[in-house]
Structures are given as C-alpha cells and as structure tokens.
Amino acid sequence: MKRIGGALGAAVVACSLLAMGMPAQAQQKTSVKVGFVTFLSGPAAGPFGVPAKMAAEAIVESLNAGKGPAPYQIKGFGGLPIELVVADEAGGATKQVAEFRTLVQRQEVDMVIGYIGSGDCLAIAPVAEELKKLTVLFDCGTPRVFEEASYKYVFRTRAHATMDAVAATMYLLDNRPAVKRISGINQNYAYGQDSWNDFEASIKAMKPGVEIVTSQMPKFGAGQYGSEVSALLASNSDVIHSSLWGGDLEAFMLQAQPRDLFRKSVLVLVAGEPYLHRLPGKIPDGTIVGARGTNGVFAPDSPHKRWLMEIYKAKAGVDPNYPAFSVAQAFLGVKAAWEKATAKKIGSAIPMGAAKNVKEEMEKAYAPPTQDELIAAFENSTFDSPSGKVKMGLGKGHQAVMGTAYGTTRFENGVVKVGNIKYYDAERVTPPEGISSLDWIKSGFRKSK
Amino acid sequence: MGARVVSQFIAVLVDGVVYASWLFIIAVGLTLIYGVMKILNIAHGSLYALGAFSAVSLSAAWFSQGYAAMGSFAMLALAAVLVGLVFGPLIERGLLQFLYGKDEVVLVLVTYALFLILEDFIKLVWGVDPLFVQGPNGETPYGLLGNFEVAGLTYPNYNLLLLGVAVLTGLVLTWSLNSTRSGKLLLAVIHDREVSAALGINVSRTYFVTFTIGAFLAAVGGALTAPTVSVVTGMGAEVIVMAFAVVVIGGLGSLPGAALGALIVGMVRAAAVHYAPEVELFSIYFVMAAVLIARPKGLFSGAEVRKI
Amino acid sequence: MKLDRTGLSLIVVVVMLLVSGPFLPSWMVSLLNVSMCYGIVVLGMMLLMRTGLVSFGHGLYYCLGAYAAGLIDQVWKMPDMLLMVAGSIVATAVVSAVLGLLLAKYREIFFAMLSLAFSMILYGLLVKSASLGSTDGFNVAAKTVGGVAVEGDTLRVTVFSVTAVILGIAAFLLHGYLASHRGRLAGAIRDNELRVEYMGASVFATVHFNYVVSAVLAGIGGALMAVNIGHIDPEMTYWPQSGEFVFIAILSGTGSVFAPLGGALVFESVRSFAYEYSPNTWQMVLGITMLVVMIFLPGGLWSLFTRGKAKEAAT
C-alpha cells in the first residue's frame, strides 16, 4: 500500500508536470498575440490599470476593424489581427518576473506591452532581454530603466518622469514668481520620493533662497491624513507640491478641503489630470495640474486624439485619462514600426528582372516582419499618437521623448476647466543622454554632456 | 517662537487623539474576537472594507432619492449593522465553527484565506474604481457637521463624532462585559472554555455572538471611514497590520489595552508627522517592537499558568 | 550521519533535476527555480514549526539574504553566485544570532508578532534608502559561479543546477539535524518546555540555535531568489511575503524534509496557473485552495503520503 501511495503521488506530479510542459501546437501565423500587463487589482487598478485595459481593448477592436486614423488604417498590425492576452500586474516585481516568463513561454505571445509600476519595469527589462522578447513599457515613469542600462528588446513609448518636476517648477515660477515657502506631501515609496527630490532640486536650481518648510511622506495607502494636513496648515506654505495619485490623492483632497488648506496654499498636482473629472468641486480653483506629458486635456487637437476620445468613450462611457493615452502610444508605436518594417522589406525585395524565385521573394517580403526587423524599425522612430508626435530619442532609440504641459484649474458650471496651459519642449525638460536625471537638475540643466 | 512651539504641541495632541479614536474603533473588534475566541482575525480588514463599500452603496441610494443629506449618517450606521449581521454569522457558522480547537496559527491562516477571498469578492461586486460617499452637490457627511478651531488650525467636527463613537464603544463594551449577565458568562468562557461548557454555558452561542459583534465593529470602522476617504479595493490590507500593532501593544484580548495601544500609536504617529516626518513610516513598528521587548505580552496582560 | 531512505531519495531527486535541467522548457525551469528557493525558506519554517514556533516575519531574513547578495553584486562588484550565497549566510547568521537572543524567549503569537515588527522595521529602512532604489529595488545578476565565468543559456542551466544542489545539501543537512539528539529536542520543546529543562537540556539554547538555522535557510533562499529572478525589492520583507511562507509550511506539513519542497512546488504552480487563467480572481482561487487544504488535510499535503502508511500499519 505504501509503495502504491507513493508511486501514485509521484505519477500525479509527473503527469501534471508533463501536461504543463506540453508545447502549444505550432500554427501558421494568423494573428499577433500581444501580452498586455496592467493592474487589475490593488490601489493602482482604478485610476490607471483598468482604464489602461479598457483603452487597450478599445484600441485593438478599432485597429482590427481597420478604423484607425491615418496612417493607421491597415487592419491590426500589418493586416494581421491583434489578439490580447491580459495579465494582472499586482503582486510585486518578483511575481511579475515569473508571470512574464509564463506569458512569453507558456502563452507564447509575440510581444508584451505593459507595466505601470516602476519597480516592475526595472525587474522585467533584463528578463525581456534574456528571453529575447520585444517588450514595450507603456506607463512606468522611472528614468532609471534606460539610465542604468541599455537594452535591445525593451522600449518605452512614454517620456520618463523627470520632466514632471522640471516643468512643474518652470510653470510655478512663471506664474507665481513671488513664491517663498514650499512644502510637499508625497507617498513614501520610490516614485513619491523621486518626484519630491526632483522638484526640490529644480526649485533650488532655478530659484535659490526658496524655503522648503516641510516634506510630508505618508505611507503608501495610508488613507488618514489628518496629522499631515495639520502640519501643512501650520507650515504656512505658499505652495504645496504633491505627486499623490489614486485613492490616496482623493482621500487627501477630501480631508484637506474642509480644513481650508487650499485657501492658504496653492496646490501643485504633478499627476492630477485623471482626477479633474472625478473630484469636481473638490479641486480648488488655481490648482496647478499636469498629466505626465501632453496627454488627456493637454493633448493638442488632432485626428488621433479625436479617434481615441471616441472609441474610449464608446467603451468606458467617460473621457480617456492619461494612462489611456499612454496605451495608445504603445500600440501605435508598435504598429508604425511594424508597417515601416514591412514597407522596407517590400521596397528592398524588388522582384523585377530575371530573378527566378519571384514567388518566394514576394512571399518573404510580404511575410510579417521578424522580431529583429521590427526592432530595427522601432529604434529611433517617430510616430503620430493622440498626444502628438512621439520620438524614440533617448536610451539609444528605445526611450520616447516628448514635451509636456501644465495648466491651472477653474471650476465652471459644474465642470473643472484647465486654463493658462503652457507647453514645454522635450529638450527643455528632459536630460540629455548619458547623465542621470538628478545630476542634470543639480548641474543647472546643462545642455550637453 | 514659544507660542509656535505650544501650538504645534497642541496640534500633535489633537491629531493624536483623532487618529487614536479611529484606530480604536478599528482595533476593538479585533481584540474582542481574539480575547474570546483566540483567533487573530485577518479578515477583520475585509469586514472593515465591506463596511466602507456598503456605506457607499447605501448612501448613494439615499442621495439618489433626494432625501436630506443629514440622513446619510443613518445609512452609515445601517451599513455597519447589515455587514455585521450578514457576514458575521455567515463566516462564523459557515466556516469558523468547524475549526475551533485547531492551532492558533492555522486559524490565522484560515482568516488570511478568507481575507483573500473577500478581497476578490469586493472587487467583483464593486469594481476597482475608487468610490465616494457623496451627495449630488458634493456634500459629504465629513463636511456636513462644520468645523472647530484649535491653536489656529481648523478641524472638521466629524472628528469629534469619531472620538464620541470610540469612547462610547469602549464604555458600552466594558460595561456589558463587567455588569451584565451575558458579559460575565463571556468572561467565564474567556477564562476557561472547557469548564464553562461543563457548567452549562452555551460556548458555541457565545462565539457566535462575539464574532458577530466583532464583525459589526469592523464594519462600523469602515462605514465611519468611508466619508473621509475614497473607498478603494485593498483598503482592508492597509489597516489590518496597523490594527495588529495596536492590539499587540495593548495586550491581545484586552479592551483597555486596545484603548491605550491606540492612544500610543496615535500620539507617536502625530508627533512623527509634526516633528520628524522622515521616520513616520516605521515609527509604529519601532513602538511595537519596543513594547514587546519591555513587556513580552503587551501592556495589559495577565500572568499565565504554566502547564507541567 | 548515515544514509537512510530520505537521504537517498534526496540524492536521486537532485540528480534527476540536474539531468533533466537542460531539457526542460525554460518556463518550467523558472517555476522549479522559484519553488526550490521557496522550498529552502520553508525548510527553515518547518524547523521552527517543529519547535512550536511560527514566525510572521521570516521575510526579514529572506530579504536580508537577497540584499546581501545584491550588495555583493552592486557595491563590491563581485557577482559570483556562490559568494552571494556565502554573503547571505553570514549576514543572516549574524543578525539572527542577535535578534534570536530576544526572540528565543518568546512563544506563540507573541513570537509571531515581534518577528513581524522586526521585519516591518527592515521594510521601512529599505523604503527610506533611496540609494538602494527604495521600493523599486534594483537588479542583481550573477556572472560567475565559484570564479568560473558563465554566460547566456549556460548561465541559466548553471544557476538552476547550483540551486538544486544547494537545496539538496540544505535538505540533507537539515534531515540529519532533525534526526540528531538536539534536533529531536525541538518536538519535545513544542510539547513541554518544562520537562525539557528538567531533563537538563537548555530550551533557550536549542530555540536560539533552531532560530538561527531557520534564518540562514531563509537567507540562502533569498539570495538564490535574487539570482534567479534578477531583481530584489523591499516587498520581500513585507508581511504578505512572510504570510506566504507560513502558508506553504502549513500546506506542506512537517513530516519530512520533502514536504516543504513539494508544498512549495504545488503552491507556485497553483499561483502561476491561477494568475494565468483567472487574472481577475486569482486571490480567490488561492484562498479557496488554502481553505480546502486546511479543512480536509489538516496535516498538510504530506499527510497524503503518510495516510497510506498509517493504514498499512493498522492492517
């Protein structure tokens, strides 16, 4: 009996391992399988993760139907329909690495588009390199990804977060040159710390002599900000900087508003754009908001923007916020590169003349681009997106560079309007290649290396 | 300069008491359940979240009927009662009653499993978008009660409501434990389960009632928190460790312990925010470790009989 | 230490892993890798549980081991896998020897809670350390193994093999220790400390020693995980991570050193497939699995194997 029990157990384990090891059947390529990783649970799901997922679904449906704006009318990617495989980004970087391997090796996706958390992006990039799988980071902000390493298979189609702080400082000093006392409230984790450190350094570089009164660093997800609001009230600051987002930002606003904090101090919300529609009446007039790029309300009018607004609203019932714009950038970037690679192949095939195997040549030219061809076309490319032109100009052609914008809110007839919008060119607010963001700020924004 | 120091100190005291009230409301149910049932209930965090989400739904229904905004307070209370009466019995009768007598650690993990299940349940029912308790014109129970001013700082009166509920909860629980018949029976069960059962006390019913009250208290915490925050999935995970810290500092299962634990944590946190914001993140755990090192079983704990 | 059945089986398993490693699909290698790293940590949890102790803060040592490995790579620029493991052993042994002086006096839920507090303090410290990447952590890569440079696909297979061998050695040594005089004291302490004292053995010294051993195992698991995953962050010492270890230990049962290894594999597989097939409700799947095991298999998965034995003995 003992033997049988043991053998049975071993057999079960072996069978399940075998079943797991069974490779999916090789098929002819009839679609492009895209792994899409975004927060489906946890605090980032509501404000970022789920809007991103809905945007991805809306975009894929529209592209597959061939209804994209010019020049994106070809169906799917180069005629092949896009198939989405959605995965949850929750659970931390360690688990994400395991899930990334699953996506690539068990689900056999052709590429991965995803990642909102900076820690996840940092962890995934080397694994993407190891597995040689094209991976497009669509939303995470940390400049470290391409400042600390360079990659062949990893791209990021949104600008990194340094420009948030630099442009916020410029906007603030342009509009409130008399500012003397500044405080901050940011979440105590990597993005919150970076955001505050960049902002503090920018202020010190552009206007020495400004007093930094207090920097509040509540725990991520703290929820209760009574003491922090008291400390900020007592600080008598002209300006309060905050990179809070999601439930934390909304809780802070709910608790600070009745206590008249914003009657004393101007609020700068570097990631405030998604909340304009969510907190009408709770965002005080005169609040300075950004959208981490020319996204959302800051996107200049274009057919691409109208396209995204329309398909997203049809899907989700509300206007797209900036994560939705980031997703569009990623899909359109890949699509542009895909079709550029195909065009190049067809162009160089030239089956005219005496070549015998015309048919094979043509088939090869019209076949989907290989991953290497796709990457070559993606590097240093420029493409149109709902947020304007995107240039893959940093990180050896793998990191997008874009301008950004800030504006001031005004509550009118039940909606929050953003006025006094100022645009900042990418060159003014983004460090050049080869220097770390904080060093660049501290050096007084040196132009070249 | 002296006036500034004094007013800052007063602000620390007020902030500390407000925070402590909130913590006590959340932690008191946890310590009650542990005291009686010896279960460190991680699902307490989920019940808290359920209270908050139910409060959002009920008050949304209230506001949509166009009733007076003040009535939303009744909705908060109703939410807590509903969650307590539905989920308390459901969890205790449907699951926990089969597991009594198991190792304490196994019971903690059972409630952890429950916590995971309820997290996804909440997500399936309410979605992942942050929600508010808010009327059509942006009125919330948080702002309805007006403000008071201390040392030049404005505080909403809602904080006084929190303080009132905390004090009332503490007093009612203490009174009913020490001065009512069922309370005394409960104390007997806490002291020795087997002997109580032998003496004819219905232990099973005692557990049932205790867990339901504990679940209700968790939901009260959630319902009262809902108007001050945006209600979002995962909110239960954030408070549960904090509630652990409070009850462990005070002594597991002790009511006055939970009150003192909440006060200590509240004061320490307020002081950290005002004087040294950079240590706020781990101030609570330092206090927890320090208290446990000095008093291994928390501040209020009786001696235990060693079994030979 | 004589080679009994368990020891022999361990050798067979490790050899099987080594032989099959190069032929397994890469995702399965990574699943096995993660399971093996968890397995080593849970070996330590098992030792603690046999002593009657459950730590809700063992993420502390898991994380410490990983950061020791990471610092050896990033700061001292010596990305050698064996050196990283050695570094993690030293770091966790020193820290646990000190903290153990305090913790060895604690029991039950208070032991669990004080461990939790310590692990959360480390979490706070790491989150505050901008130079270590705060919550984002940083990447770790082993480039040599025992001084020999390995690259590309060989590196993956080598890391897998080294992990398997270290796991084998750890389990083998632990198995020997559990069978030794001092190892057997663990169960006696769990049942009745006073009697152990009356017999003239030191409860404190035994608990302290077992605590340090379990911490070192967690550290080794953390260092190997750092090398395998290639990235470390403070989540490794956050409370749900520690809770996961306790859960795998309960899921596994404490009957044999094989239990944690199998339990870790089952846990990782369930989690991975739940993630894949029900991305919206994987937590629920995990929770229900936990409940089912705890209700129907109170002795853990290992009792599936011993149940047959018990019946056999009865007949």
Side-chain angles (χ1 to χ4, degrees):
Chain A
M1 187 63 211
K2 168 172 63 186
R3 289 277 151 70
I4 297 174
L8 208 66
V12 168
V13 171
C15 280
S16 58
L17 279 177
L18 263 180
M20 284 151 60
M22 225 69 109
Q25 279 187 339
Q27 285 166 346
Q28 213 186 341
K29 203 161 192 58
T30 53
S31 67
V32 187
K33 208 167 171 185
V34 176
F36 187 74
V37 189
T38 178
F39 284 105
L40 301 178
S41 51
F48 303 137
V50 172
K53 175 178 161 256
M54 285 197 284
E57 287 168 356
I59 289 165
V60 166
E61 278 166 28
S62 173
L63 291 183
N64 282 348
K67 289 182 182 156
Y72 300 116
Q73 294 106 326
I74 303 176
K75 285 188 181 178
F77 287 155
L80 290 174
I82 306 163
E83 187 191 331
L84 271 187
V85 180
V86 178
D88 190 357
E89 195 185 331
T94 313
K95 294 196 176 61
Q96 282 312 311
V97 168
E99 292 328 303
F100 180 82
R101 288 181 189 280
T102 304
L103 268 180
V104 172
Q105 294 174 332
R106 211 151 70 203
Q107 306 247 37
E108 297 182 320
V109 296
D110 297 299
M111 70 184 73
V112 176
I113 296 179
Y115 303 108
I116 292 169
S118 288
D120 296 333
C121 285
L122 286 170
I124 291 297
V127 188
E129 207 68 2
E130 181 204 315
L131 299 182
K132 300 191 170 47
K133 186 56 71 181
L134 173 63
T135 300
V136 182
L137 311 172
F138 79 86
D139 196 62
C140 57
T142 182
R144 287 173 59 199
V145 178
F146 293 99
E147 278 179 4
E148 290 178 355
S150 61
Y151 298 104
K152 181 182 171 199
Y153 296 92
V154 183
F155 290 82
R156 177 160 57 186
T157 46
R158 62 148 294 181
H160 64 64
T162 306
M163 65 177 190
D164 291 353
V166 179
T169 313
M170 290 176 175
Y171 188 88
L172 180 67
L173 294 179
D174 281 350
N175 289 282
R176 307 217 170 221
V179 57
K180 284 202 180 62
R181 296 165 67 83
I182 289 182
S183 293
I185 176 163
N186 295 279
Q187 289 140 313
N188 208 338
Y189 79 120
Y191 167 66
Q193 293 166 2
D194 285 351
S195 188
W196 170 252
N197 290 339
D198 286 355
F199 181 75
E200 190 183 7
S202 299
I203 286 280
K204 283 185 174 154
M206 287 188 224
K207 195 171 190 313
V210 170
E211 188 187 347
I212 306 294
V213 193
T214 176
S215 160
Q216 290 298 326
M217 284 272 166
K219 184 167 118 21
F220 185 94
Q224 298 293 315
Y225 301 99
S227 311
E228 281 84 354
V229 174
S230 296
L232 290 173
L233 276 169
S235 73
N236 282 314
S237 305
D238 308 320
V239 170
I240 294 169
H241 164 277
S242 180
S243 62
L244 292 182
W245 54 263
D248 287 5
L249 172 63
E250 298 180 354
F252 171 70
M253 299 293 283
L254 282 173
Q255 290 165 33
Q257 181 82 358
R259 301 180 64 182
D260 294 339
L261 177 60
F262 307 127
R263 209 167 291 168
K264 280 185 170 179
S265 319
V266 172
L267 187 62
V268 178
L269 296 177
V270 293
E273 189 266 345
Y275 309 101
L276 298 177
H277 320 292
R278 291 188 45 82
L279 294 166
K282 295 276 184 253
I283 294 209
D285 282 1
T287 298
I288 297 171
V289 292
R292 307 180 76 178
T294 49
N295 304 314
V297 293
F298 300 107
D301 186 50
S302 71
H304 304 91
K305 181 188 177 183
R306 287 196 295 272
W307 165 72
L308 181 67
M309 301 284 281
E310 191 186 306
I311 61 169
Y312 188 89
K313 196 151 190 179
K315 180 112 202 154
V318 291
D319 284 336
N321 60 8
Y322 75 71
F325 280 75
S326 304
V327 175
Q329 250 158 272
F331 275 92
L332 295 183
V334 173
K335 185 170 166 60
W338 187 292
E339 281 148 22
K340 190 172 133 194
T342 315
K344 192 176 162 219
K345 277 206 303 190
I346 297 171
S348 61
I350 324 179
M352 275 184 289
K356 273 183 277 177
N357 40 3
V358 173
K359 191 161 172 277
E360 284 80 20
E361 285 289 322
M362 285 301 286
E363 262 172 13
K364 225 165 80 191
Y366 279 96
T370 64
Q371 185 167 265
D372 282 349
E373 288 165 344
L374 183 56
I375 286 171
F378 208 168
E379 278 176 353
N380 294 305
S381 64
T382 306
F383 57 93
D384 288 316
S385 83
S387 330
K389 265 218 175 340
V390 182
K391 185 171 166 38
M392 304 299 289
L394 272 177
K396 300 185 178 135
H398 288 242
Q399 162 71 55
V401 191
M402 285 187 80
T404 187
Y406 273 87
T408 307
T409 62
R410 200 174 63 249
F411 191 57
E412 248 175 38
N413 306 327
V415 283
V416 183
K417 294 250 165 74
V418 178
N420 191 20
I421 296 178
K422 292 250 169 63
Y423 288 90
Y424 298 89
D425 289 343
E427 298 77 62
R428 285 183 69 197
V429 293
T430 315
E433 189 114 33
I435 180 168
S436 89
S437 294
L438 201 55
D439 288 346
W440 175 68
I441 296 172
K442 285 184 175 155
S443 74
F445 311 99
R446 266 187 307 155
K447 270 273 173 278
S448 59
K449 291 169 217 179
Chain B
M1 210 55 211
R4 233 187 91 76
V5 173
V6 172
S7 68
Q8 194 174 23
F9 183 70
I10 293 172
V12 170
L13 287 184
V14 176
D15 288 333
V17 168
V18 168
Y19 197 72
S21 315
W22 178 73
L23 276 176
F24 178 75
I25 298 172
I26 291 162
V28 68
L30 193 68
T31 208
L32 180 73
I33 290 177
Y34 183 86
V36 178
M37 306 164 76
K38 294 285 175 287
I39 297 177
L40 196 57
N41 181 20
I42 295 181
H44 201 73
S46 314
L47 293 163
Y48 162 86
L50 279 168
F53 277 99
S54 308
V56 168
S57 294
L58 286 176
S59 53
W62 179 266
F63 283 121
S64 73
Q65 295 298 312
Y67 296 143
M70 273 297 178
S72 55
F73 285 101
M75 293 298 111
L76 302 185
L78 183 61
V81 171
L82 276 182
V83 170
L85 286 184
V86 173
F87 285 90
L90 200 66
I91 293 171
E92 203 276 338
R93 286 291 100 176
L95 180 67
L96 295 180
Q97 66 155 330
F98 304 111
L99 296 162
Y100 293 137
K102 295 223 180 213
D103 201 57
E104 251 179 62
V105 175
V106 173
L107 286 169
V108 173
L109 282 174
V110 166
T111 63
Y112 180 53
L114 206 55
F115 169 80
L116 290 177
I117 295 170
L118 287 174
E119 280 293 290
D120 273 353
F121 171 78
I122 290 173
K123 205 168 77 179
L124 291 177
V125 174
W126 281 280
V128 292
D129 247 356
L131 304 166
F132 306 108
V133 175
Q134 200 172 35
N137 302 314
E139 61 272 57
T140 69
Y142 188 58
L144 276 177
L145 299 176
N147 292 335
F148 67 94
E149 225 166 89
V150 181
L153 301 178
T154 315
Y155 290 91
N157 283 333
Y158 193 84
N159 292 326
L160 296 178
L161 177 76
L162 281 183
L163 178 61
V165 171
V167 171
L168 193 69
T169 311
L171 290 180
V172 167
L173 281 178
T174 313
W175 174 79
S176 43
L177 273 180
N178 296 321
S179 310
T180 66
R181 194 185 126 79
S182 39
K184 284 177 179 164
L185 293 180
L186 193 66
L187 289 179
V189 174
I190 293 175
H191 200 75
D192 197 320
R193 189 181 144 195
E194 277 105 25
V195 172
S196 311
L199 290 175
I201 299 176
N202 189 340
V203 174
S204 159
R205 210 190 61 165
T206 314
Y207 279 12
F208 173 75
V209 173
T210 306
F211 193 84
T212 306
I213 293 176
F216 165 70
L217 289 171
V220 169
L224 284 177
T225 309
T228 69
V229 297
S230 79
V231 178
V232 58
T233 49
M235 68 188 292
E238 294 302 331
V239 304
I240 190 65
V241 189
M242 203 112 76
F244 274 5
V246 168
V247 297
V248 167
I249 288 172
L252 276 160
S254 158
L255 275 184
L260 188 62
L263 259 182
I264 292 175
V265 171
M267 286 301 166
V268 167
R269 186 169 179 280
V273 165
H274 281 275
Y275 297 120
E278 59 278 4
V279 304
E280 188 268 333
L281 189 64
F282 39 82
S283 57
I284 293 173
Y285 300 103
F286 264 122
V287 175
M288 180 173 165
V291 168
L292 279 179
I293 289 169
R295 300 253 326 167
K297 298 194 169 173
L299 294 171
F300 283 78
S301 56
E304 262 185 44
V305 187
R306 285 226 278 182
K307 289 185 182 152
I308 299 177
Chain C
M1 194 166 20
K2 69 174 197 291
L3 203 57
D4 58 5
R5 244 190 69 191
T6 308
L8 215 61
S9 320
L10 265 176
I11 293 172
V12 172
V13 168
V14 170
V15 170
M16 267 169 60
L17 284 172
L18 291 182
V19 173
S20 61
F23 306 104
L24 291 173
S26 152
W27 65 264
M28 197 193 287
V29 171
S30 101
L31 183 76
L32 285 171
N33 266 333
V34 172
S35 310
M36 288 194 291
C37 297
Y38 271 16
I40 296 178
V41 183
V42 179
L43 278 176
M45 300 295 290
M46 181 183 87
L47 174 63
L48 274 186
M49 276 166 108
R50 283 198 171 200
T51 323
L53 295 170
V54 173
S55 164
F56 282 161
H58 243 43
L60 169 67
Y61 299 108
Y62 175 66
C63 184
L64 205 63
Y67 270 76
L71 290 178
I72 286 173
D73 174 20
Q74 290 287 317
V75 178
W76 293 291
K77 307 286 176 205
M78 291 182 288
D80 186 276
M81 187 170 172
L82 297 183
L83 200 64
M84 289 178 180
V85 173
S88 73
I89 293 176
V90 174
T92 46
V94 169
V95 174
S96 66
V98 175
L99 291 184
L101 292 175
L102 267 171
L103 279 162
K105 294 183 201 127
Y106 287 71
R107 296 293 178 269
E108 298 169 0
I109 208 80
F110 305 98
F111 176 84
M113 286 294 136
L114 188 55
S115 313
L116 174 74
F118 284 137
S119 72
M120 292 300 286
I121 289 173
L122 177 66
Y123 178 77
L125 289 174
L126 289 176
V127 169
K128 291 300 296 179
S129 308
S131 56
L132 295 180
S134 181
T135 44
D136 281 351
F138 57 91
N139 291 341
V140 182
K143 295 192 184 70
T144 62
V145 176
V148 185
V150 272
E151 276 177 349
D153 290 341
T154 346
L155 180 64
R156 253 206 102 57
V157 176
T158 316
V159 166
F160 175 75
S161 309
V162 174
T163 307
V165 170
I166 291 178
L167 171 76
I169 295 173
F172 193 78
L173 290 179
L174 186 69
H175 179 64
Y177 172 64
L178 288 174
S180 73
H181 170 69
R182 192 165 201 181
R184 282 172 197 274
L185 272 181
I189 291 174
R190 185 187 57 200
D191 293 339
N192 197 320
E193 290 186 18
L194 225 47
R195 285 186 198 161
V196 175
E197 289 277 355
Y198 286 155
M199 288 188 324
S202 166
V203 171
F204 181 86
T206 310
V207 171
H208 186 263
F209 183 76
N210 287 358
Y211 181 74
V212 172
V213 170
S214 77
V216 167
L217 284 169
I220 296 173
L224 290 175
M225 190 66 113
V227 173
N228 273 301
I229 292 287
H231 183 85
I232 55 179
D233 60 35
E235 288 285 315
M236 298 179 95
T237 180
Y238 204 46
W239 68 270
Q241 181 69 67
S242 304
E244 221 167 87
F245 293 142
V246 179
F247 171 61
I248 302 175
I250 301 262
L251 174 87
S252 313
T254 55
S256 153
V257 289
F258 272 113
L261 311 184
L265 182 61
V266 170
F267 176 84
E268 247 327 277
S269 308
V270 170
R271 202 187 55 70
S272 168
F273 280 91
Y275 239 90
E276 185 176 334
Y277 292 107
S278 94
N280 276 307
T281 48
W282 61 271
Q283 294 190 87
M284 201 177 256
V285 173
L286 213 55
I288 291 172
T289 315
M290 282 166 85
L291 279 185
V292 168
V293 172
M294 280 184 289
I295 293 171
F296 296 107
L297 291 174
L301 291 175
W302 189 249
S303 59
L304 281 179
F305 293 91
T306 48
R307 199 178 277 176
K309 262 186 213 172
K311 270 190 199 143
E312 196 178 42
T315 48

